[in-house]
Amino acid sequence: MSVARTELLPLPAHHATTREFAGVSTRSRALSFSVRRTVRPFIEAWSYAPTLPWPASAIDHLAFPLVPVPGTHRRRVDLPMCPAELLWAPGAALPAAQVDMDGTAAQVGMDGTAAQVGMDGTAVLYLHGGAFLCCGLTMHRHLVSRISATTGAPVLAVGYRMMPRHPIRRAVEDGLDGLRWLVAHGHPAERVVIAGDSAGGFLTFAVAHEAVRLGIGRPAGTVALSPLTDLDPRGKLDHPNSHRCAVFPRRAVAVLPTLVERAERLGGEGAEPVASPVDLDLSEMPPALIQTGSEEMTYVDAELMARRLQLAGVSAELQVWEKQVHAFQAAAGVVPESGRAIAEIGRFVRELR
């Protein structure tokens, strides 16, 4: 597999792990063809008038066909400033919050099967993608249920506050509230893996960093899928993938920083701007798994984040999947590469235990 690369600095060999996954299935090619002709034109149109009142919330509501894995258990959770959803798939450990005092399971899934009890406290905190602007719990329910199934752990998905009404700082605060909820319900921070896709990958690193800084605890690990990690668009626009990406047109990438600044002006009173993860002091961060497609726009962000983590002495595994679209893991169950990537997430989380 040939992968375009930016110039890399020397890495400490004992921390550097880059794996390339070659091969593009027919279904993967069909997915790329489809999103290039449907999603990409919509984003292109949005980029010409991003401040118009686009019905961003409708995108999540229209995702109702994306149902979770059959038999998945689901419970609404009300965080201080936003909704969240606790899911655990068949075979996954029962969340500590659902276990009776005598340690027995009392919950039954949608298919009538009882959930098993797992007492090691491992859980996943999930932060969805959507450019800090759209998508949500409904659109990511299928993906989250598959992550629960492969990791054998319950997942708390956070429906964090979004732009344009709220700056990114509010999303980070909501992610921290999700982590605090898990800690308060029997999942120590040191047993929680924080995960997210795209903008949720940005939040994954930001929330993990803040959890350490605030003394909440050092999460067990981070999993970032096609992550945005640098709000500066120049690295992405200078990379050959800016002309190859099936999802994002160049113009949309250049618009996002302006929207971030606008959200901070309009709704950020008392909120300190959030630094890009690549610009943080990463020395206390937990181990990371980063997955990216070889030709997607945020490939350069994934590679840069892995490099920065490694230079900070943090174990980071970068997986480069040949010609997979942005956040391709969401197509698990349809695209074989997506299923393999989900299995890799399970392997990573299990190895942290």
Side-chain angles (χ1 to χ4, degrees), residues 23-305:
V24 187
S25 67
T26 300
R27 290 188 176 187
S28 173
R29 294 181 191 279
L31 176 63
S32 179
F33 179 89
S34 175
V35 298
R36 189 180 292 275
R37 282 155 181 77
T38 56
V39 177
R40 197 175 192 277
F42 177 82
I43 296 176
E44 178 85 47
W46 165 84
S47 70
Y48 280 92
T51 59
L52 289 179
W54 294 82
S57 61
I59 295 175
D60 195 48
H61 295 306
L62 291 173
F64 65 89
L66 300 175
V67 297
V69 173
T72 295
H73 309 251
R74 181 156 54 93
R75 168 188 162 186
R76 180 183 171 90
V77 173
D78 292 315
L79 298 178
M81 299 302 297
C82 72
E85 193 169 74
L86 185 66
L87 294 93
W88 58 106
L94 192 69
Q98 296 295 114
V99 179
D100 287 343
M101 292 185 66
D102 64 356
T104 60
Q107 298 297 313
V108 177
M110 297 175 195
D111 62 352
T113 60
Q116 75 178 71
V117 176
M119 299 303 292
D120 72 345
T122 300
V124 177
L125 176 69
Y126 196 85
L127 303 161
H128 68 80
F132 310 110
L133 291 161
C134 63
C135 305
L137 300 178
T138 302
M139 177 162 282
H140 287 77
R141 194 168 287 146
H142 178 79
L143 173 59
V144 167
S145 69
R146 286 195 173 271
I147 290 175
S148 174
T150 193
T151 59
V155 183
L156 180 69
V158 178
Y160 58 84
R161 289 170 287 176
M162 290 186 280
M163 301 191 309
R165 294 182 62 188
H166 305 282
I168 296 175
R169 172 62 61 184
R170 301 303 183 216
V172 174
E173 292 169 355
D174 293 339
L176 289 169
D177 282 339
L179 179 59
R180 291 187 183 99
W181 189 93
L182 286 171
V183 172
H185 289 82
H187 302 281
E190 296 75 15
R191 303 299 301 163
V192 175
V193 176
I194 304 179
D197 63 285
S198 193
F202 182 109
L203 296 174
T204 291
F205 294 118
V207 170
H209 184 270
E210 282 293 276
V212 174
R213 188 182 71 84
L214 296 174
I216 299 172
R218 181 176 181 263
T222 55
V223 176
L225 315 179
S226 299
L228 169 71
T229 64
D230 190 358
L231 291 175
D232 185 341
R234 289 176 295 180
K236 289 178 277 292
L237 294 177
D238 289 344
H239 194 276
N241 281 4
S242 68
H243 299 283
R244 299 169 177 161
C245 184
V247 177
F248 296 113
R250 288 170 55 88
R251 183 181 181 89
V253 174
V255 163
L256 184 60
T258 302
L259 295 182
V260 170
E261 294 173 2
R262 184 172 183 266
E264 289 174 353
R265 289 196 311 271
L266 298 179
E269 184 177 353
E272 179 183 352
V274 175
S276 293
V278 295
D279 295 327
L280 296 171
D281 175 2
L282 302 172
S283 59
E284 299 299 320
M285 292 286 281
L289 169 65
I290 302 173
Q291 295 180 338
T292 182
S294 65
E295 294 188 353
E296 65 167 305
M297 184 73 75
T298 54
Y299 164 82
V300 66
D301 280 29
E303 187 181 53
L304 179 59
M305 189 67 193

